[in-house]
Amino acid sequence: MTHAAGPTDAEPVHELDPHAGSVHAKLNWLRAGVLGANDGIVSVAALVVGVAAATTDVGPILVAGVAAVIAGAISMGLGEYVSVSSQRDTERALIAKERWELANMPQQELEELAEIYRGKGLSAATAERVAEELTAHDALAAHLEAELHIDEQDVVSPWHAAGASALAFLIGAVLPMLAILLPPPEWRVPTTFVAVVVALAITGWLSAWIGGSPRLRAILRITVGGGLALAVTWTIGALLGVAV
């Protein structure tokens, strides 16, 4: 006996299925979060390791670490806000320009849309029919997608981006702070080195997974770079500590 196909009989949804939401936007948010966390790990770890190499007193290490966390989170949030605000302003200007063109020269815009689809390989007749049907459905959305690859509903929010970047930095910064403050003095720097390398390896793997690039190369690149940063700041701190 046959039966109607239900949810369990349907084909599995592809992870990049557009009906599942804006996957591209989600990946961009995830990528920004990974990079923000990585910055928090490396910058704060490098600073506290440098201070720990110069002194075993908890006070200076704590003050330097907290200052680095606060300044870094503000800097990341502000930088992301400025960057995304510029992007948003550009997108809004392009949308306004496209809306004006559609209102004042619709025929030229229709021909332009058909030309875009002819350039993608459609025949002239098919391209014209596609352009006409898309224009009748939602002319602005059709032109934004075909010409500018913009979705009017997905214009980025600078406040969301700033908050996400600052939060990611704070989360990343927690690890080196705990690693440098909790162990006894003789274990502070080694523990921080190990913790940071492991954390960077994880963020490297995540960034490679998001971008679809080779995992090992990304892990080596980020762990070697982070390790060098820690080594340099530790050396400088040790030299300054001896000089003092």
Side-chain angles (χ1 to χ4, degrees):
M1 175 182 294
T2 60
H3 60 279
T8 56
D9 302 307
E11 290 291 331
V13 178
H14 192 282
E15 65 174 343
L16 294 181
D17 194 306
H19 296 93
S22 180
V23 176
H24 179 70
K26 291 178 181 178
L27 290 181
N28 280 338
W29 279 103
L30 185 55
R31 182 181 294 107
V34 170
L35 293 176
N38 179 69
D39 285 343
I41 294 169
V42 175
S43 61
V44 174
L47 181 60
V48 295
V49 163
V51 177
T55 178
T56 59
D57 293 341
V58 175
I61 299 174
L62 179 61
V63 171
V66 171
V69 172
I70 295 174
I74 293 174
S75 176
M76 288 290 293
L78 180 60
E80 195 71 14
Y81 178 84
V82 172
S83 174
V84 174
S85 292
S86 299
Q87 178 185 343
R88 182 192 60 177
D89 292 344
T90 300
E91 290 178 348
R92 285 180 172 176
L94 291 171
I95 292 171
K97 178 177 180 290
E98 199 62 42
R99 184 178 285 113
W100 183 90
E101 291 175 346
L102 285 168
N104 290 275
M105 39 185 173
Q107 186 58 39
Q108 293 93 321
E109 287 296 290
L110 179 62
E111 294 173 359
E112 183 181 23
L113 189 60
E115 180 61 31
I116 290 173
Y117 285 106
R118 282 195 295 270
K120 292 183 177 182
L122 298 183
S123 66
T126 302
E128 290 175 7
R129 181 176 177 181
V130 169
E132 290 172 356
E133 292 187 1
L134 289 176
T135 298
H137 175 67
D138 190 334
L140 180 61
H143 281 268
L144 291 179
E145 191 280 329
E147 293 182 45
L148 306 172
H149 309 292
I150 294 176
D151 185 341
E152 189 178 14
Q153 305 304 318
D154 284 338
V155 175
V156 291
S157 167
W159 288 108
H160 290 168
S165 182
L167 180 60
F169 184 94
L170 289 172
I171 293 172
V174 168
L175 177 68
M177 287 296 293
L178 294 177
I180 203 72
L181 293 174
L182 294 181
E186 64 273 13
W187 286 102
R188 285 174 183 163
V189 173
T191 301
T192 305
F193 262 89
V194 173
V196 166
V197 169
V198 171
L200 290 179
I202 294 173
T203 59
W205 184 91
L206 283 174
S207 64
W209 174 75
I210 294 169
S213 58
R215 271 65 163 176
L216 181 59
R217 182 185 305 170
I219 292 172
L220 289 176
R221 181 168 55 233
I222 197 169
T223 53
V224 170
L228 287 175
L230 295 186
V232 169
T233 55
W234 180 86
T235 301
I236 294 173
L239 293 175
L240 291 176
V242 170
V244 173

